[in-house]
Amino acid sequence: MKITCNDVADIALGGAFLACGGGGDVLVGRMVAERVLREHGNVDLIPLQEITDDATVIAVGGVGAPSIMNEKVSNGTEAITALRILEEYTGRKADALIAFEAGGFNSLVPVMIASQLGLPVLDADGMGRAFPEMQMETFSIYGVSATPLTLVGNAGHSIIMNMADASTAEKLIRQFTVLGGGGACFSAEHVMDGSTVKRVSVPHTISLSLRLGRCLRENHGNMKEFRQELDAILQTARYGRPNVLFEGKVVDVDRQVTGGYDVGIVTLQEFGAGENNMTMDIQNEFLTARLGTHVLATVPDLICMLDNDTVQPITQETLRYGQRVTVMGISAPEILRTEQALKVVGPKCFGIDMEYIPIEQRLGTVGLEFDSTGTELIPSPYRST
Amino acid sequence: MKITCNDVADIALGGAFLACGGGGDVLVGRMVAERVLREHGNVDLIPLQEITDDATVIAVGGVGAPSIMNEKVSNGTEAITALRILEEYTGRKADALIAFEAGGFNSLVPVMIASQLGLPVLDADGMGRAFPEMQMETFSIYGVSATPLTLVGNAGHSIIMNMADASTAEKLIRQFTVLGGGGACFSAEHVMDGSTVKRVSVPHTISLSLRLGRCLRENHGNMKEFRQELDAILQTARYGRPNVLFEGKVVDVDRQVTGGYDVGIVTLQEFGAGENNMTMDIQNEFLTARLGTHVLATVPDLICMLDNDTVQPITQETLRYGQRVTVMGISAPEILRTEQALKVVGPKCFGIDMEYIPIEQRLGTVGLEFDSTGTELIPSPYRST
């Protein structure tokens, strides 16, 4: 299938939903990508299984604090430079591009570059959501070296990295992001062949984003309809059912740009006279959702936030006091829940002292579960203590 | 002339004297370089003016906290790797190597590599002393781009940097040094042609180090003889006369490894009943020498420390309580005192809120000057205020 100018807004919206509050801004991604595709043409979207085994695939995207990325709007020129430097350095030309995460902006970076360079994009990505650190890409988790990797920032700053492990690379990436990019830059990374990329990617996520985005657009302002359609869409994908974890208003946003990330805590209060508060840890993305002292969900399960009035995804950098929101939790795809993956994307990897317990178990433990339509929290018959 | 195994110890000693407390350890530099030259042979030392204009010259050396470099003894294998990566990346092969600073270790890094690769070394360097940061090299000060630059750390960590300015490059170098090298690594940088290197280098510093080292060795334990010979040697070089700023014992060393540097303050107390204290700021090198509240000398003028008993240079990382020492101040070569240079190597560039005043003026201002032999501080007839 072709990605056209008309698909871009939906991919951005759906990517932002999957991105758990991260992945970049929908409006920024949409505006820039629409202009690029209008000028440079449509992009072939290739199903993951159809890439030839010996093709060279390279991941591209924006890195840094989303709050900064929104202030440094780019059409991906730096990403093209990063790709060119990496191609020259490795002597391998990209036959196709892939997103390293889902997001309003980052799902579209490979699309923008592909349009300008006449390359196809794979219908897949390296997270199936967004995470703040590079070693959290399934590419790295399942054994592909992240480096050689190139970063391009402002004013001609660029580096080529060859690091022994993705975690150390990630630390240096953040330093470059701050020093060379003022908080945000572009990277090209994870040079893979086709046979490898099939093994280590989360499939279908661009077409899924497109469908999610269409559903979000068509149900603008209609939460009930959206929830039902969302349930149907996710049942065809490798994610679990969507569970509403909380509805309330934003009463506190304690967040700062630290070390190239947006980091903080958001507090939500129940509507009406309810005294229940939800707190959510943020590191670019929503990492946890806690109802009082009860943990309802943690990474790698997806914690997504929607504006109650518009029923559109909210990225964490746009959180403001008084917003009326719905928080949803979705079981992560199995590729993010393996023992190997949880060593890298479990709560402890974000400095949060919690074990990973799948969201469907957590809800039972705190005495809640969802009704058969997945739309209402009801008391659980198997509450444990 | 040839640098032989027998010259190495003197170059290390003399380099350490010029290095103002930095530049790496004499014993480490000597031990490693002697073994390398014994195995791989002598090295041609070329006067700066004799390098051909179209030759390619590359600077190499160790970067990081000297205290860490002494714990990670290396024969320069990482520096050879750094050089090879840079050569491959730029497509230019080094015809000669140059030190980027003087030092017990860093004067010898190009010698060690040159011996292994069969290359000559230039009789010059990029500081004429040692400074803690790369933009302080005369190469950078006088317009040569520091990048592309390569760094090689531990465990296969390496990067190629292309940064818009040397100061930002330096900040990222330190981050790599910590993340990729545990506090110390090797770099290859400042790819220059022969005509450029003649314009931007401090000449004669390797042969000067050799003579200084010989003088230090021959006058082991004899301060008076050493001072007189030192005076004669410096008069033939582009440095000013050596002034004794203080004699006393180390009573406090407040120093830590911070951000890839050794940073701190050392306090010296006058011998006998004297109540005068000298304090000296450290960032890898000695940056200032203050007698009570009077500033006697600051960067870029050279502040060197000798052990009173052995009359051998003391590097800051070996400072210990109770050492009996002599502090000398030497006017820096003119190339470090130009308006252009002082913007980069003046006291404020180290976060020290002082104007640069040449040491010979400073001594007059605080009511001191040196006698005609340069060996005794005497009251100044032109004391101001």
Side-chain angles (χ1 to χ4, degrees), chain A residues 78-278:
Chain A
E78 299 91 338
I80 292 178
T81 307
L83 179 67
R84 287 303 188 218
I85 295 172
L86 187 59
E87 286 180 332
E88 194 168 326
Y89 178 72
T90 59
R92 295 177 69 177
K93 295 280 281 184
D95 297 309
L97 301 177
I98 188 168
F100 57 66
E101 69 177 6
F105 187 70
N106 267 342
S107 290
L108 289 172
V109 171
V111 175
M112 289 184 234
I113 304 178
S115 170
Q116 292 174 69
L117 302 182
L119 291 173
V121 165
L122 294 193
D123 186 11
D125 77 279
M127 290 181 172
R129 46 166 293 160
F131 284 121
E133 304 189 355
M134 190 187 59
Q135 74 275 10
M136 298 170 176
E137 295 171 22
T138 50
F139 310 145
S140 289
I141 292 171
Y142 295 104
V144 180
S145 173
T147 68
L149 167 153
T150 56
L151 294 173
V152 173
N154 306 328
H157 296 310
S158 72
I159 59 172
I160 303 169
M161 295 171 44
N162 271 295
M163 306 297 275
D165 61 281
S167 298
T168 311
E170 166 64 26
K171 292 193 182 88
L172 194 63
I173 286 170
R174 292 296 150 174
Q175 296 300 334
F176 178 87
T177 298
V178 173
L179 293 169
C185 63
F186 283 85
S187 81
E189 57 176 69
H190 281 101
V191 181
M192 296 173 272
D193 56 31
S195 59
T196 303
V197 79
K198 286 174 197 167
R199 180 174 58 80
V200 300
S201 307
V202 186
H204 309 308
T205 49
I206 303 292
S207 54
L208 173 62
S209 295
L210 185 64
R211 274 182 295 149
L212 282 173
R214 189 177 302 145
C215 172
L216 282 158
R217 174 168 52 84
E218 289 174 350
N219 293 294
H220 193 283
N222 190 336
M223 184 68 82
K224 195 171 167 206
E225 287 291 320
F226 170 70
R227 279 199 209 164
Q228 284 172 4
E229 287 193 33
L230 175 65
D231 196 21
I233 291 170
L234 290 178
Q235 282 193 39
T236 67
R238 297 177 184 213
Y239 298 80
R241 301 188 72 164
N243 303 318
V244 172
L245 302 180
F246 197 77
E247 292 178 294
K249 67 181 176 189
V250 176
V251 291
D252 192 43
V253 184
D254 177 6
R255 181 188 53 210
Q256 45 194 308
V257 180
T258 303
Y261 304 105
D262 291 335
V263 176
I265 293 177
V266 56
T267 307
L268 313 177
Q269 195 176 57
E270 227 176 4
F271 292 131
E275 290 183 359
N276 284 323
N277 275 4
M278 171 160 279

Side-chain angles (χ1 to χ4, degrees), chain A residues 282-317:
Chain A
I282 295 169
Q283 183 186 345
N284 286 7
E285 284 76 38
F286 301 121
L287 305 178
T288 62
R290 279 169 292 172
L291 194 62
T293 57
H294 295 303
V295 179
L296 298 191
T298 73
V299 278
D301 287 328
L302 281 67
I303 301 167
C304 310
M305 195 185 281
L306 293 168
D307 182 291
N308 260 17
D309 297 324
T310 62
V311 191
Q312 303 293 291
I314 294 175
T315 52
Q316 58 74 18
E317 74 274 15

